[in-house]
Amino acid sequence: MDSPDNSRFIKACLNQPVDRTPVWFMRQAGRSLPEYRLARGTLSILETVKNPELAAELTLQPVKRYDVDAAVLFSDIMVPLKAIGLELDILPNVGPVIEKPFAKVSDLDRIRKYEPEEDAPYVQETIALLKKDCRVPIIGFAGAPFTIASYLVEGKPSRNFIKTKTLMHTLPEFWSPLMDKLSDLIIASLSAQITAGVHAIQLFDSWAGSLSRYDYQEYVWPFSKKIFDALTKNFGTSLPKIHFGVGTSAILDLMASTGPDVLSVDWRIPLDKVSPLLSENQAIQGNLDPAICLTSFDTVAREAGRILRDAKRRSAPHEKSVSPSFHRGHIFNLGHGVLPETDPDTLTRLVDFVRNYDSTSDDVQP
Ligand code: CP3
């Protein structure tokens, strides 16, 4: 058994050849698992995160059940904000809600410096526990500045992000310092997770796809770039960094140029259309539509096979000679999180399908 540092997940993230395509699922822990509902009981998600034994157990549940190639830390993108004292909650079936949404320059004072060791020691303790028991790499994560800012400004999940876009365009003395302060908080959060021992990190810019290319470039890109630059400077290039968003087909090249090793894409774009937007060494993660997991398994297998073929088509042209069992630069995942209604057995079968997928039966098209 490979060590987590030398695992196929880490190698695939760094675009090194692997024996088979690694697979994990965003939101693999959580409500679709009966053992999760049992273990969490009536505790809220934010209370659960503060309990390292429980958070470690919930992180490991999907690894045990599905035998996936990576574990994702049980936490939430809002945890550092809660830890610095912002009054917020995560409501079941709703998401993050903020008591007093941000609207003016003086609200910026409410974001103080985040000191992970003092403010949220339980996150690092959970990672320490996992380091003892987890045989696959552990993925740490944070929300990206835009996605976090959208919750702080809208006060709740939003469809159109009207308040956020209004402030972004009309109040630069609010928007830039807000994004800058959030970038520093996110760098502190990810750095503490890396120091505690996670093997890779993912930056979730879940709602970046709501922006025009212009707005992304002008108002968001510099801050996400600042985060990846800081992590590369402080931790080198061997710890993989993944950048994720939904509906980002129009901005993937911009997201790629912020400096991640892996771009995580949703189902709207075929993987072979993603590669021309990336640099040659960047890997791709994705991209099964989570809704497909609620159809028949025949459909799941057909769509997963198509994704694996698209990924192979993408990776092959860089090689001088294409080995028949060529695997490189693809991490199989969903295009967004597991839906709560998903039958866990479908994911077990999907992991098996990816694992046993016979790439030798495909012709690689130029
Ligand atoms: O397996 C895992 O991935 C668990 C770790 C995890 C959680 N949140 C726990 C959680 C991760 C990686 C997240 C990230 C997260 N949180 C994101 C980015 C990923 C994405 O889905 O786009 C976002 C936008 C959030 C904010 C948030 N927290 C939302 C939108 C919700 C859903 C609200 C709901 O109930 O539908 C949450 C709650 C949340 N975070 C749950 C879990 C397991 C569900 C709460 C529960 O179990 O009651």
Side-chain angles (χ1 to χ4, degrees):
M1 166 68 66
D2 286 341
S3 74
D5 295 300
N6 197 26
S7 59
R8 67 173 71 82
F9 169 76
I10 299 294
K11 286 183 186 155
C13 288
L14 299 175
N15 204 23
Q16 296 162 4
V18 283
D19 56 345
R20 64 168 175 80
T21 301
V23 49
W24 69 283
F25 303 116
M26 289 182 271
R27 294 291 183 87
Q28 61 192 12
R31 283 170 298 178
S32 61
L33 293 182
E35 60 268 35
Y36 168 84
R37 296 194 294 266
L38 197 69
R40 215 188 96 181
T42 55
L43 287 180
S44 74
I45 166 117
L46 289 170
E47 287 164 337
T48 308
V49 169
K50 285 188 175 174
N51 178 334
E53 284 79 22
L54 185 52
E57 182 189 340
L58 297 179
T59 304
L60 290 173
Q61 281 181 347
V63 179
K64 290 181 183 144
R65 181 188 268 265
Y66 300 131
D67 200 13
V68 276
D69 292 297
V72 55
L73 182 68
F74 192 85
S75 183
D76 193 86
I77 61 168
M78 302 309 286
V79 164
L81 284 304
K82 181 79 178 180
I84 60 163
L86 288 188
E87 304 218 352
L88 66 89
D89 223 332
I90 299 179
L91 301 185
N93 307 315
V94 178
V97 288
I98 318 294
E99 195 158 307
K100 298 190 197 80
F102 281 46
K104 50 191 185 307
V105 172
S106 62
D107 286 327
L108 297 172
D109 297 338
R110 292 159 62 196
I111 303 183
R112 67 156 170 85
K113 188 167 189 256
Y114 177 47
E115 311 266 14
E117 297 308 326
E118 286 88 61
D119 297 325
Y122 39 85
V123 174
Q124 288 74 241
E125 283 164 31
T126 303
I127 296 168
L129 289 176
L130 286 167
K131 294 286 281 181
K132 289 190 238 153
D133 292 337
C134 191
R135 54 191 170 72
V136 294
I138 304 158
I139 304 169
F141 69 90
F146 173 73
T147 290
I148 300 278
S150 78
Y151 283 118
L152 296 183
V153 170
E154 303 290 335
K156 55 181 194 294
S158 170
R159 196 177 282 267
N160 299 317
F161 303 97
I162 294 169
K163 291 179 180 144
T164 313
K165 290 180 181 178
T166 302
L167 285 174
M168 177 190 273
H169 279 278
T170 58
L171 207 55
E173 66 274 30
F174 171 83
W175 185 258
S176 291
L178 172 66
M179 292 290 278
D180 206 47
K181 285 186 125 184
L182 291 176
S183 306
D184 290 342
L185 173 136
I186 292 158
I187 292 167
S189 168
L190 291 172
S191 299
Q193 293 177 58
I194 294 169
T195 304
V198 300
H199 304 94
I201 61 93
Q202 180 156 326
L203 188 67
F204 282 98
D205 212 349
S206 304
W207 314 133
S210 68
L211 296 168
S212 70
R213 271 182 79 81
Y214 173 80
D215 286 356
Y216 183 82
Q217 188 148 27
E218 181 79 11
Y219 300 112
V220 175
W221 186 90
F223 304 98
S224 297
K225 171 100 165 65
K226 175 178 168 173
I227 294 168
F228 286 119
D229 282 352
L231 296 178
T232 304
K233 181 163 171 273
N234 295 339
F235 299 99
T237 52
S238 59
L239 184 128
K241 303 179 282 296
I242 309 171
H243 202 180
F244 165 81
V246 180
T248 53
S249 307
I251 57 169
L252 281 180
D253 54 331
L254 299 176
M255 288 180 73
S257 66
T258 59
D261 302 288
V262 185
L263 249 282
S264 192
V265 298
D266 80 359
W267 55 93
R268 291 172 178 86
I269 183 165
L271 295 190
D272 56 329
K273 298 274 185 298
V274 176
S275 41
L277 304 169
L278 309 185
S279 73
E280 232 179 62
N281 284 328
Q282 285 177 313
I284 303 179
Q285 177 171 275
N287 69 342
L288 184 66
D289 183 346
I292 295 290
C293 296
L294 301 170
T295 66
S296 66
F297 194 75
D298 283 351
T299 309
V300 173
R302 188 192 64 221
E303 292 303 300
R306 188 181 53 66
I307 288 164
L308 288 160
R309 273 193 300 281
D310 286 347
K312 190 174 160 203
R313 234 195 305 281
R314 157 293 143 155
S315 54
H318 300 318
E319 293 301 290
K320 289 200 177 64
S321 66
V322 178
S323 135
S325 58
F326 184 88
H327 301 276
R328 171 170 285 193
H330 179 217
I331 300 101
F332 191 95
N333 206 317
L334 306 183
H336 201 177
V338 173
L339 295 168
E341 303 84 353
T342 308
D343 179 349
D345 290 342
T346 302
L347 298 184
T348 304
R349 293 177 73 186
L350 176 55
V351 169
D352 240 41
F353 178 86
V354 175
R355 179 159 301 158
N356 296 321
Y357 179 76
D358 180 8
S359 63
T360 56
S361 61
D362 294 325
D363 286 328
V364 175
Q365 317 275 324

